[in-house]
Amino acid sequence: MTPPVTAPRSTPQDVITAFQLWWVAAGFGLAQLVCAVISALGERDQVIDQLLSDMARRDPELALSRNTAELFVFAGMVLAVVIGIVLAAIVLLIAYQMRKGRQWARTVLTMLGSILVVFAVPALFGLGTATGAVGMLTGALAILGGVAAAGAIFLMHRKDSNTYFLPGLRPR
């Protein structure tokens, strides 16, 4: 006896919208990263001075030139951007798996989204953000990213979405 063949379920609109919201959240995260790098570039001289004084205090024998310190700071900024792009790509790959009906992807995105929402709360009150226009923009992007993640979490856990993520027939 073979089990009855039934048509695969179609992807609910809530899951499709949640997938789109994850793209929005990733975009806001990348924009927030760009703002943070721009802010760090504006404070580059202070960061380099701090690095030089810390290195001189820890090891006076080590002669670190200003050019080398600038290179370290610049390399750190480039590394931060690369890590941010890789993380955004991973989130989008997981979101793609969520759209295909994978329960593990919904769980991972729920955890990541919860963290985004928690980190966005201080920005609501202006805490932990840099001052000036770039700081305000960074805070606004954090809030918008948190709202997009919260919306995606909500949509991923609605009734039709819950049924879609049950084991069994999935879209092909």
Side-chain angles (χ1 to χ4, degrees):
M1 276 221 64
T2 60
V5 177
T6 57
R9 297 180 294 222
S10 64
T11 306
Q13 187 60 44
D14 287 344
V15 173
I16 293 169
T17 305
F19 174 73
Q20 293 166 345
L21 284 173
W22 280 113
W23 274 89
V24 170
F28 282 136
L30 288 175
Q32 186 180 0
L33 176 64
V34 168
C35 286
V37 168
I38 289 171
S39 177
L41 283 173
E43 299 171 358
R44 188 178 68 234
D45 290 333
Q46 294 91 339
V47 172
I48 292 169
D49 292 340
Q50 183 69 38
L51 176 64
L52 289 172
S53 67
D54 286 348
M55 293 300 291
R57 196 171 339 130
R58 288 183 188 204
D59 189 1
E61 303 271 328
L62 181 64
L64 186 65
S65 70
R66 184 157 186 89
N67 288 337
T68 305
E70 286 177 2
L71 181 64
F72 283 147
V73 170
F74 181 73
M77 289 181 194
V78 169
L79 183 63
V81 169
V82 168
I83 289 172
I85 291 170
V86 167
L87 288 176
I90 289 171
V91 166
L92 294 176
L93 286 173
I94 295 171
Y96 179 74
Q97 293 299 313
M98 179 273 305
R99 189 181 72 178
K100 289 174 56 176
R102 305 295 191 266
Q103 174 63 32
W104 66 266
R106 180 173 78 153
T107 302
V108 169
L109 289 173
T110 299
M111 291 187 298
L112 290 174
S114 299
I115 292 169
L116 282 175
V117 170
V118 168
F119 284 157
V121 169
L124 281 171
F125 304 106
L127 303 174
T129 58
T131 58
V134 175
M136 286 179 55
L137 182 59
T138 303
L141 290 169
I143 293 167
L144 292 172
V147 169
I153 291 169
F154 174 75
L155 291 173
M156 289 187 308
H157 291 278
R158 290 190 55 176
K159 183 180 177 187
D160 289 342
S161 299
N162 283 336
T163 304
Y164 177 71
F165 287 106
L166 289 175
L169 300 176
R170 291 202 174 93
R172 303 209 186 279

